[in-house]
Coordinates of all heavy atoms in Angstrom, one line a residue:
M400 N 225.1 -225.5 203.5 CA 224.4 -225.9 202.3 C 223.2 -225.0 202.1 O 222.4 -224.7 203.0 CB 223.9 -227.4 202.5 CG 223.1 -227.9 201.4 SD 222.7 -229.6 201.7 CE 223.4 -230.4 200.2
A401 N 223.0 -224.5 200.9 CA 221.9 -223.6 200.6 C 220.5 -224.4 200.6 O 220.5 -225.6 200.3 CB 222.1 -223.0 199.3
N402 N 219.5 -223.7 201.0 CA 218.2 -224.3 201.0 C 217.7 -224.5 199.6 O 218.0 -223.7 198.7 CB 217.1 -223.4 201.7 CG 217.3 -223.4 203.2 OD1 217.9 -224.4 203.7 ND2 216.8 -222.4 203.9
S403 N 217.0 -225.6 199.3 CA 216.5 -225.9 198.0 C 215.3 -225.0 197.7 O 214.5 -224.7 198.6 CB 216.1 -227.4 198.0 OG 215.4 -227.7 196.8
T404 N 215.2 -224.6 196.5 CA 214.1 -223.8 196.1 C 213.0 -224.6 195.5 O 211.9 -224.1 195.3 CB 214.5 -222.8 195.0 OG1 215.0 -223.5 193.8 CG2 215.5 -221.8 195.5
V405 N 213.2 -225.9 195.3 CA 212.1 -226.8 194.9 C 211.5 -227.4 196.1 O 212.1 -227.6 197.1 CB 212.7 -227.9 193.9 CG1 213.2 -227.3 192.6 CG2 213.7 -228.7 194.6
Q406 N 210.2 -227.7 195.9 CA 209.4 -228.3 197.0 C 208.5 -229.4 196.5 O 208.2 -229.4 195.3 CB 208.5 -227.2 197.6 CG 209.3 -226.1 198.3 CD 208.3 -225.1 199.0 OE1 207.1 -225.1 198.7 NE2 208.9 -224.3 199.8
F407 N 208.2 -230.3 197.4 CA 207.2 -231.4 197.0 C 205.9 -230.8 196.8 O 205.5 -229.8 197.5 CB 207.1 -232.4 198.2 CG 208.3 -233.3 198.3 CD1 209.2 -233.1 199.3 CD2 208.4 -234.4 197.5 CE1 210.3 -233.9 199.5 CE2 209.5 -235.2 197.6 CZ 210.4 -235.0 198.6
D408 N 205.2 -231.3 195.8 CA 203.8 -230.9 195.6 C 203.0 -232.0 196.2 O 202.8 -233.0 195.7 CB 203.5 -230.8 194.1 CG 202.1 -230.5 193.7 OD1 201.3 -230.4 194.7 OD2 201.7 -230.5 192.5
L409 N 202.5 -231.7 197.4 CA 201.8 -232.7 198.2 C 200.4 -233.0 197.6 O 199.7 -233.9 198.2 CB 201.8 -232.4 199.7 CG 203.2 -232.3 200.3 CD1 203.1 -231.9 201.7 CD2 203.9 -233.6 200.1
T410 N 200.0 -232.3 196.6 CA 198.7 -232.7 195.9 C 199.0 -233.7 194.8 O 198.1 -234.2 194.2 CB 198.0 -231.4 195.3 OG1 198.9 -230.9 194.3 CG2 197.7 -230.4 196.4
N411 N 200.3 -233.9 194.5 CA 200.7 -234.9 193.4 C 201.0 -236.2 194.1 O 201.9 -236.3 194.9 CB 201.9 -234.3 192.7 CG 202.4 -235.1 191.6 OD1 202.2 -236.4 191.6 ND2 203.0 -234.5 190.6
P412 N 200.2 -237.3 193.7 CA 200.5 -238.6 194.3 C 201.9 -239.1 194.1 O 202.4 -239.8 195.0 CB 199.5 -239.5 193.7 CG 198.5 -238.6 193.0 CD 199.1 -237.3 192.8
Q413 N 202.5 -238.8 193.0 CA 203.9 -239.2 192.7 C 204.9 -238.6 193.7 O 205.8 -239.2 194.2 CB 204.3 -238.9 191.3 CG 203.6 -239.8 190.3 CD 204.0 -239.5 188.9 OE1 204.4 -238.4 188.6 NE2 203.8 -240.4 188.0
H414 N 204.6 -237.3 194.0 CA 205.5 -236.6 195.0 C 205.3 -237.2 196.4 O 206.3 -237.4 197.1 CB 205.2 -235.1 195.0 CG 205.8 -234.4 193.8 ND1 206.4 -233.2 193.9 CD2 205.8 -234.7 192.5 CE1 206.8 -232.7 192.8 NE2 206.5 -233.7 191.9
V415 N 204.1 -237.5 196.7 CA 203.8 -238.1 198.1 C 204.5 -239.5 198.2 O 205.2 -239.7 199.2 CB 202.3 -238.2 198.3 CG1 202.1 -238.9 199.6 CG2 201.7 -236.8 198.4
A416 N 204.4 -240.3 197.1 CA 205.0 -241.6 197.2 C 206.5 -241.5 197.2 O 207.2 -242.2 198.0 CB 204.5 -242.4 196.0
M417 N 207.1 -240.6 196.4 CA 208.5 -240.5 196.4 C 209.0 -239.9 197.7 O 210.1 -240.3 198.2 CB 208.9 -239.5 195.2 CG 210.4 -239.5 195.0 SD 211.1 -241.0 194.3 CE 210.8 -240.7 192.6
R418 N 208.3 -239.0 198.3 CA 208.7 -238.5 199.6 C 208.8 -239.6 200.7 O 209.7 -239.6 201.5 CB 207.6 -237.4 200.0 CG 208.0 -236.7 201.3 CD 207.0 -235.6 201.6 NE 207.4 -234.8 202.7 CZ 206.6 -234.4 203.7 NH1 205.3 -234.6 203.6 NH2 207.1 -233.7 204.7
K419 N 207.8 -240.5 200.6 CA 207.9 -241.7 201.6 C 209.1 -242.5 201.3 O 209.8 -242.9 202.3 CB 206.6 -242.5 201.4 CG 205.4 -241.9 202.0 CD 204.2 -242.9 201.8 CE 202.9 -242.2 202.4 NZ 201.8 -243.1 202.2
L420 N 209.4 -242.8 200.1 CA 210.6 -243.6 199.7 C 211.9 -242.9 200.2 O 212.8 -243.5 200.8 CB 210.7 -243.8 198.2 CG 209.6 -244.8 197.7 CD1 209.7 -244.8 196.1 CD2 209.9 -246.2 198.2
M421 N 211.9 -241.6 199.9 CA 213.1 -240.8 200.3 C 213.3 -240.8 201.8 O 214.4 -240.9 202.3 CB 213.0 -239.4 199.7 CG 213.1 -239.3 198.2 SD 212.8 -237.7 197.5 CE 214.2 -236.8 198.1
A422 N 212.2 -240.6 202.5 CA 212.3 -240.6 204.0 C 212.8 -241.9 204.5 O 213.6 -242.0 205.5 CB 210.9 -240.2 204.6
D423 N 212.3 -243.0 203.9 CA 212.7 -244.3 204.3 C 214.2 -244.6 204.1 O 214.9 -245.1 204.9 CB 211.9 -245.4 203.6 CG 212.2 -246.8 204.1 OD1 212.1 -247.0 205.3 OD2 212.5 -247.7 203.2
I424 N 214.7 -244.2 202.9 CA 216.1 -244.3 202.5 C 216.9 -243.5 203.5 O 217.9 -244.0 204.0 CB 216.3 -243.9 201.1 CG1 215.7 -245.0 200.2 CG2 217.8 -243.7 200.8 CD1 215.7 -244.6 198.7
Y425 N 216.5 -242.3 203.8 CA 217.3 -241.4 204.6 C 217.4 -242.0 206.0 O 218.4 -242.1 206.7 CB 216.7 -240.0 204.7 CG 217.5 -239.1 205.5 CD1 218.6 -238.4 205.0 CD2 217.2 -238.8 206.9 CE1 219.4 -237.6 205.8 CE2 218.0 -238.0 207.6 CZ 219.1 -237.4 207.1 OH 219.9 -236.5 207.9
S426 N 216.2 -242.5 206.5 CA 216.2 -243.1 207.9 C 217.1 -244.3 208.0 O 217.9 -244.5 208.9 CB 214.8 -243.5 208.2 OG 214.7 -244.2 209.4
R427 N 217.0 -245.2 207.0 CA 217.8 -246.4 207.0 C 219.3 -246.1 206.8 O 220.2 -246.7 207.5 CB 217.4 -247.4 205.9 CG 216.0 -247.9 206.2 CD 215.5 -248.7 205.1 NE 214.1 -249.2 205.3 CZ 213.8 -250.4 205.7 NH1 214.7 -251.3 205.8 NH2 212.5 -250.7 205.9
H428 N 219.6 -245.1 206.0 CA 221.0 -244.6 205.9 C 221.6 -244.1 207.2 O 222.7 -244.4 207.6 CB 221.1 -243.6 204.8 CG 222.5 -243.2 204.5 ND1 223.1 -242.1 205.1 CD2 223.4 -243.6 203.6 CE1 224.3 -242.0 204.7 NE2 224.6 -242.9 203.7
T429 N 220.8 -243.3 207.9 CA 221.2 -242.7 209.2 C 221.4 -243.9 210.2 O 222.4 -243.8 210.9 CB 220.1 -241.8 209.7 OG1 219.9 -240.7 208.7 CG2 220.5 -241.2 211.0
T430 N 220.6 -244.9 210.2 CA 220.9 -246.0 211.1 C 222.2 -246.7 210.7 O 222.9 -247.1 211.6 CB 219.7 -247.0 211.0 OG1 218.5 -246.4 211.4 CG2 219.9 -248.2 211.9
A431 N 222.4 -246.9 209.4 CA 223.7 -247.5 209.0 C 224.9 -246.6 209.4 O 225.9 -247.2 209.8 CB 223.7 -247.7 207.4
V432 N 224.7 -245.3 209.3 CA 225.8 -244.4 209.8 C 226.1 -244.6 211.2 O 227.2 -244.8 211.7 CB 225.5 -242.9 209.5 CG1 226.4 -242.0 210.2 CG2 225.5 -242.7 208.0
A433 N 225.0 -244.7 212.0 CA 225.1 -244.9 213.5 C 225.8 -246.2 213.8 O 226.6 -246.3 214.8 CB 223.8 -244.8 214.2
N434 N 225.6 -247.2 213.0 CA 226.2 -248.5 213.2 C 227.5 -248.7 212.5 O 228.1 -249.8 212.5 CB 225.2 -249.6 212.7 CG 223.9 -249.7 213.6 OD1 224.0 -249.3 214.7 ND2 222.8 -250.0 212.9
R435 N 227.9 -247.7 211.8 CA 229.2 -247.7 211.0 C 229.2 -248.9 210.0 O 230.2 -249.5 209.8 CB 230.4 -247.7 211.9 CG 230.5 -246.5 212.7 CD 231.7 -246.5 213.5 NE 231.8 -245.3 214.3 CZ 232.5 -244.2 214.0 NH1 233.0 -244.1 212.8 NH2 232.5 -243.1 214.8
A436 N 228.0 -249.1 209.4 CA 227.9 -250.2 208.4 C 228.1 -249.6 207.0 O 227.2 -249.2 206.4 CB 226.5 -250.8 208.5
F437 N 229.4 -249.6 206.6 CA 229.8 -248.8 205.4 C 229.1 -249.4 204.1 O 228.7 -248.7 203.3 CB 231.3 -248.8 205.3 CG 231.9 -248.1 206.4 CD1 232.6 -248.8 207.4 CD2 231.9 -246.7 206.4 CE1 233.2 -248.1 208.4 CE2 232.5 -246.0 207.5 CZ 233.2 -246.7 208.5
D438 N 229.0 -250.7 204.0 CA 228.4 -251.3 202.8 C 226.9 -251.0 202.8 O 226.4 -250.7 201.7 CB 228.6 -252.9 202.9 CG 230.0 -253.3 202.6 OD1 230.8 -252.5 202.1 OD2 230.4 -254.4 203.0
T439 N 226.3 -251.0 203.9 CA 224.8 -250.6 203.9 C 224.6 -249.2 203.6 O 223.7 -248.8 202.8 CB 224.2 -251.0 205.3 OG1 224.5 -252.3 205.6 CG2 222.8 -250.7 205.4
M440 N 225.5 -248.3 204.1 CA 225.4 -246.9 203.7 C 225.5 -246.7 202.2 O 224.7 -246.0 201.6 CB 226.5 -246.1 204.4 CG 226.4 -245.8 205.8 SD 227.7 -244.7 206.4 CE 229.0 -245.9 206.7
K441 N 226.5 -247.4 201.6 CA 226.6 -247.3 200.1 C 225.4 -247.8 199.4 O 225.0 -247.3 198.4 CB 227.9 -248.1 199.7 CG 229.2 -247.5 200.1 CD 229.4 -246.1 199.6 CE 229.8 -246.0 198.2 NZ 230.0 -244.7 197.7
R442 N 224.8 -248.9 199.9 CA 223.6 -249.4 199.3 C 222.4 -248.4 199.3 O 221.8 -248.2 198.3 CB 223.1 -250.7 200.1 CG 222.0 -251.4 199.4 CD 221.6 -252.7 200.1 NE 222.8 -253.5 200.3 CZ 223.2 -254.1 201.5 NH1 222.5 -253.8 202.6 NH2 224.3 -254.8 201.6
Y443 N 222.3 -247.7 200.4 CA 221.2 -246.7 200.5 C 221.5 -245.5 199.6 O 220.6 -244.9 199.1 CB 220.9 -246.3 201.9 CG 220.1 -247.5 202.6 CD1 220.7 -248.2 203.7 CD2 218.9 -247.9 202.1 CE1 220.1 -249.2 204.2 CE2 218.3 -249.0 202.7 CZ 218.8 -249.7 203.7 OH 218.2 -250.7 204.3
E444 N 222.8 -245.1 199.6 CA 223.2 -244.0 198.7 C 222.8 -244.4 197.2 O 222.3 -243.6 196.4 CB 224.6 -243.7 198.8 CG 225.1 -242.6 197.9 CD 226.6 -242.4 197.8 OE1 227.3 -243.2 198.3 OE2 227.0 -241.4 197.1
G445 N 223.1 -245.6 196.8 CA 222.7 -246.1 195.5 C 221.2 -246.1 195.3 O 220.8 -245.8 194.1
M446 N 220.5 -246.4 196.3 CA 219.0 -246.3 196.1 C 218.6 -244.9 195.9 O 217.7 -244.7 195.0 CB 218.3 -246.9 197.4 CG 218.4 -248.4 197.5 SD 217.5 -248.9 199.0 CE 218.0 -250.6 199.1
A447 N 219.2 -244.0 196.6 CA 218.8 -242.5 196.3 C 219.2 -242.1 194.9 O 218.4 -241.4 194.2 CB 219.6 -241.7 197.3
Q448 N 220.3 -242.6 194.4 CA 220.7 -242.3 193.0 C 219.7 -242.9 192.0 O 219.4 -242.3 191.0 CB 222.2 -242.8 192.8 CG 223.2 -242.0 193.5 CD 224.6 -242.6 193.5 OE1 224.8 -243.7 193.0 NE2 225.5 -241.8 194.0
A449 N 219.3 -244.1 192.4 CA 218.3 -244.8 191.5 C 217.0 -244.0 191.5 O 216.3 -243.8 190.4 CB 218.0 -246.2 192.0
L450 N 216.6 -243.4 192.6 CA 215.4 -242.6 192.6 C 215.6 -241.3 191.7 O 214.6 -240.9 191.1 CB 215.0 -242.1 194.0 CG 214.5 -243.2 195.0 CD1 214.2 -242.6 196.3 CD2 213.3 -243.9 194.4
E451 N 216.8 -240.8 191.7 CA 217.1 -239.7 190.8 C 216.8 -240.0 189.4 O 216.1 -239.3 188.6 CB 218.6 -239.3 190.9 CG 219.0 -238.5 192.0 CD 220.5 -238.1 191.8 OE1 220.8 -237.3 190.9 OE2 221.3 -238.7 192.6
K452 N 217.2 -241.2 189.0 CA 217.0 -241.6 187.6 C 215.6 -241.9 187.3 O 215.1 -241.6 186.2 CB 217.9 -242.9 187.3 CG 219.3 -242.6 187.3 CD 220.2 -243.8 187.0 CE 221.6 -243.4 186.8 NZ 222.5 -243.7 187.9
V453 N 214.8 -242.5 188.2 CA 213.4 -242.7 188.0 C 212.7 -241.4 187.9 O 211.9 -241.2 187.0 CB 212.8 -243.5 189.2 CG1 211.3 -243.5 189.2 CG2 213.3 -244.9 189.2
A454 N 213.0 -240.4 188.7 CA 212.4 -239.1 188.7 C 212.6 -238.4 187.3 O 211.7 -237.9 186.7 CB 212.8 -238.2 189.8
L455 N 213.9 -238.6 186.8 CA 214.2 -237.9 185.6 C 213.8 -238.6 184.3 O 213.1 -238.0 183.5 CB 215.7 -237.6 185.5 CG 216.2 -236.8 184.4 CD1 215.6 -235.4 184.4 CD2 217.8 -236.8 184.4
Y456 N 214.1 -239.9 184.3 CA 213.8 -240.6 183.0 C 212.5 -241.3 182.9 O 212.0 -241.5 181.8 CB 215.0 -241.7 182.8 CG 216.3 -241.0 182.7 CD1 217.3 -241.3 183.6 CD2 216.6 -240.1 181.6 CE1 218.5 -240.7 183.5 CE2 217.8 -239.5 181.5 CZ 218.8 -239.8 182.5 OH 220.0 -239.2 182.4
V457 N 211.9 -241.7 184.0 CA 210.6 -242.4 184.0 C 209.5 -241.4 184.2 O 208.5 -241.4 183.4 CB 210.6 -243.6 185.1 CG1 209.2 -244.2 185.1 CG2 211.7 -244.6 184.8
L458 N 209.6 -240.6 185.3 CA 208.5 -239.7 185.6 C 208.7 -238.4 184.9 O 207.7 -237.6 184.8 CB 208.5 -239.4 187.1 CG 208.3 -240.7 188.0 CD1 208.3 -240.3 189.4 CD2 206.9 -241.3 187.7
A459 N 209.9 -238.1 184.4 CA 210.2 -236.8 183.7 C 209.7 -235.6 184.5 O 209.1 -234.7 184.1 CB 209.5 -236.8 182.3
D460 N 210.1 -235.7 185.8 CA 209.7 -234.7 186.8 C 211.0 -234.1 187.3 O 211.7 -234.6 188.1 CB 208.9 -235.3 187.9 CG 208.3 -234.3 188.9 OD1 209.0 -233.3 189.2 OD2 207.2 -234.5 189.3
H461 N 211.3 -232.9 186.8 CA 212.5 -232.2 187.2 C 212.6 -231.8 188.7 O 213.6 -231.7 189.3 CB 212.8 -231.1 186.2 CG 213.0 -231.5 184.8 ND1 214.2 -232.2 184.4 CD2 212.2 -231.6 183.8 CE1 214.1 -232.5 183.2 NE2 212.9 -232.2 182.7
T462 N 211.4 -231.5 189.2 CA 211.4 -231.1 190.6 C 211.7 -232.3 191.5 O 212.6 -232.2 192.4 CB 209.9 -230.6 191.0 OG1 209.6 -229.4 190.2 CG2 209.8 -230.3 192.5
L463 N 211.1 -233.5 191.2 CA 211.5 -234.7 191.9 C 213.0 -235.0 191.7 O 213.6 -235.5 192.7 CB 210.6 -235.9 191.5 CG 209.3 -236.0 192.2 CD1 208.5 -237.2 191.7 CD2 209.4 -236.0 193.7
H464 N 213.4 -234.8 190.5 CA 214.8 -235.1 190.3 C 215.7 -234.3 191.1 O 216.7 -234.8 191.7 CB 215.2 -234.9 188.8 CG 216.6 -235.1 188.5 ND1 217.4 -234.0 188.3 CD2 217.4 -236.2 188.4 CE1 218.7 -234.4 188.0 NE2 218.7 -235.7 188.1
Q465 N 215.5 -233.0 191.3 CA 216.3 -232.1 192.1 C 216.2 -232.5 193.5 O 217.2 -232.6 194.2 CB 215.8 -230.7 191.9 CG 216.7 -229.7 192.7 CD 218.1 -229.6 192.2 OE1 218.4 -229.6 191.1 NE2 219.0 -229.7 193.2
L466 N 215.0 -232.9 194.0 CA 214.9 -233.3 195.4 C 215.7 -234.6 195.7 O 216.3 -234.8 196.7 CB 213.4 -233.5 195.8 CG 212.6 -232.2 195.8 CD1 211.1 -232.5 195.8 CD2 213.0 -231.4 197.0
C467 N 215.6 -235.6 194.8 CA 216.3 -236.8 194.9 C 217.8 -236.6 194.8 O 218.6 -237.2 195.5 CB 215.9 -237.8 193.8 SG 214.2 -238.4 194.0
F468 N 218.2 -235.6 194.0 CA 219.7 -235.3 193.9 C 220.1 -234.7 195.2 O 221.2 -235.0 195.7 CB 219.9 -234.3 192.7 CG 221.3 -233.7 192.7 CD1 222.3 -234.5 192.2 CD2 221.5 -232.4 193.1 CE1 223.6 -234.0 192.1 CE2 222.8 -231.9 193.1 CZ 223.9 -232.7 192.6
N469 N 219.3 -233.8 195.8 CA 219.7 -233.3 197.1 C 219.8 -234.4 198.2 O 220.7 -234.3 199.0 CB 218.6 -232.3 197.5 CG 218.6 -231.0 196.7 OD1 219.5 -230.8 195.9 ND2 217.5 -230.2 196.8
L470 N 219.0 -235.4 198.1 CA 219.1 -236.5 199.1 C 220.4 -237.2 198.8 O 221.1 -237.5 199.8 CB 217.9 -237.4 198.9 CG 218.0 -238.7 199.7 CD1 218.0 -238.4 201.2 CD2 216.8 -239.7 199.4
S471 N 220.7 -237.5 197.6 CA 221.9 -238.2 197.2 C 223.1 -237.5 197.8 O 224.1 -238.1 198.3 CB 222.1 -238.4 195.7 OG 221.1 -239.3 195.3
C472 N 223.1 -236.2 197.6 CA 224.3 -235.3 198.0 C 224.4 -235.4 199.5 O 225.5 -235.4 200.1 CB 224.1 -233.9 197.5 SG 224.3 -233.7 195.8
A473 N 223.3 -235.3 200.2 CA 223.3 -235.4 201.7 C 223.8 -236.7 202.2 O 224.6 -236.7 203.1 CB 221.9 -235.1 202.2
L474 N 223.4 -237.8 201.6 CA 223.9 -239.1 202.0 C 225.4 -239.2 201.8 O 226.1 -239.7 202.6 CB 223.1 -240.2 201.3 CG 221.6 -240.3 201.5 CD1 221.0 -241.5 200.9 CD2 221.2 -240.2 203.0
Y475 N 225.8 -238.8 200.6 CA 227.2 -238.8 200.3 C 228.0 -238.0 201.3 O 229.1 -238.4 201.8 CB 227.5 -238.3 198.9 CG 228.9 -238.3 198.5 CD1 229.6 -239.4 198.1 CD2 229.6 -237.1 198.5 CE1 230.9 -239.4 197.7 CE2 231.0 -237.1 198.2 CZ 231.6 -238.2 197.8 OH 232.9 -238.2 197.4
A476 N 227.6 -236.8 201.6 CA 228.3 -235.9 202.6 C 228.4 -236.6 204.0 O 229.4 -236.5 204.6 CB 227.6 -234.6 202.7
Q477 N 227.3 -237.2 204.4 CA 227.3 -237.9 205.7 C 228.4 -239.0 205.7 O 229.1 -239.2 206.6 CB 226.0 -238.6 206.0 CG 224.9 -237.6 206.5 CD 223.7 -238.4 206.9 OE1 223.3 -239.4 206.3 NE2 222.9 -237.9 207.9
Q478 N 228.4 -239.8 204.6 CA 229.4 -240.9 204.5 C 230.8 -240.3 204.5 O 231.7 -240.9 205.2 CB 229.2 -241.6 203.2 CG 228.0 -242.5 203.2 CD 227.6 -243.1 201.8 OE1 226.5 -243.5 201.7 NE2 228.5 -243.1 200.9
E479 N 231.1 -239.2 203.8 CA 232.4 -238.7 203.7 C 232.8 -238.2 205.1 O 234.0 -238.4 205.5 CB 232.5 -237.5 202.7 CG 232.4 -238.0 201.2 CD 233.5 -239.0 200.9 OE1 234.7 -238.6 201.0 OE2 233.2 -240.1 200.5
C480 N 231.9 -237.6 205.8 CA 232.3 -237.1 207.2 C 232.6 -238.3 208.1 O 233.6 -238.2 208.8 CB 231.1 -236.3 207.8 SG 230.9 -234.7 207.0
L481 N 231.9 -239.3 208.0 CA 232.1 -240.5 208.8 C 233.4 -241.2 208.4 O 234.2 -241.6 209.3 CB 231.0 -241.5 208.7 CG 231.1 -242.8 209.6 CD1 231.2 -242.4 211.0 CD2 230.0 -243.7 209.3
L482 N 233.7 -241.2 207.1 CA 235.0 -241.8 206.7 C 236.2 -241.0 207.1 O 237.2 -241.6 207.5 CB 235.0 -242.0 205.2 CG 234.0 -243.1 204.7 CD1 234.0 -243.1 203.2 CD2 234.4 -244.5 205.2
E483 N 236.0 -239.7 207.2 CA 237.1 -238.8 207.6 C 237.4 -239.0 209.1 O 238.5 -239.1 209.6 CB 236.8 -237.4 207.3 CG 237.0 -237.0 205.9 CD 236.7 -235.5 205.7 OE1 236.7 -234.7 206.6 OE2 236.4 -235.2 204.5
V484 N 236.3 -239.2 209.9 CA 236.4 -239.4 211.3 C 237.1 -240.8 211.6 O 237.9 -240.9 212.5 CB 235.1 -239.3 212.0 CG1 235.1 -239.7 213.4 CG2 234.6 -237.8 211.9
A485 N 236.7 -241.8 210.8 CA 237.2 -243.1 211.0 C 238.6 -243.3 210.6 O 239.3 -244.2 211.1 CB 236.3 -244.1 210.2
A486 N 239.1 -242.4 209.7 CA 240.5 -242.5 209.2 C 241.5 -242.1 210.3 O 241.3 -241.5 211.2 CB 240.7 -241.7 208.0

């Protein structure tokens, strides 16, 4: 996976707040993966997708949208790998 060219602007309070939310979602999703809690994994993936929409449509921040999109893609990829192993 290529490195993202967008970065959080840690002087922007919205970016700091979103970063905390994203870290929390990622952490909880990882715990769900470890526990093989498939429904919970999907729930956290949905939360990441919701953050994408907030970043784009509410905050109109394309940088945050890209970062949230990257998170959504990472969560999806983790789920797909786990599902392949489980099959």
Side-chain angles (χ1 to χ4, degrees):
M400 179 180 236
N402 288 338
S403 173
T404 57
V405 296
Q406 295 181 347
F407 287 103
D408 175 1
L409 297 180
T410 64
N411 182 332
Q413 290 178 335
H414 282 222
V415 173
M417 188 70 84
R418 185 174 184 221
K419 286 180 182 179
L420 289 172
M421 291 172 68
D423 185 53
I424 289 170
Y425 184 82
S426 174
R427 291 172 187 257
H428 183 270
T429 301
T430 300
V432 167
N434 294 330
R435 296 183 181 268
F437 296 105
D438 290 340
T439 304
M440 285 186 278
K441 292 299 284 179
R442 186 176 308 127
Y443 289 116
E444 181 191 5
M446 288 180 186
Q448 291 170 352
L450 289 182
E451 279 184 71
K452 291 180 172 104
V453 168
L455 185 61
Y456 298 117
V457 176
L458 301 175
D460 188 321
H461 295 284
T462 298
L463 276 179
H464 174 255
Q465 183 64 47
L466 292 165
C467 293
F468 174 75
N469 291 347
L470 174 63
S471 292
C472 290
L474 299 186
Y475 179 79
Q477 280 183 330
Q478 289 170 197
E479 288 301 302
C480 287
L481 182 61
L482 290 172
E483 285 181 19
V484 170

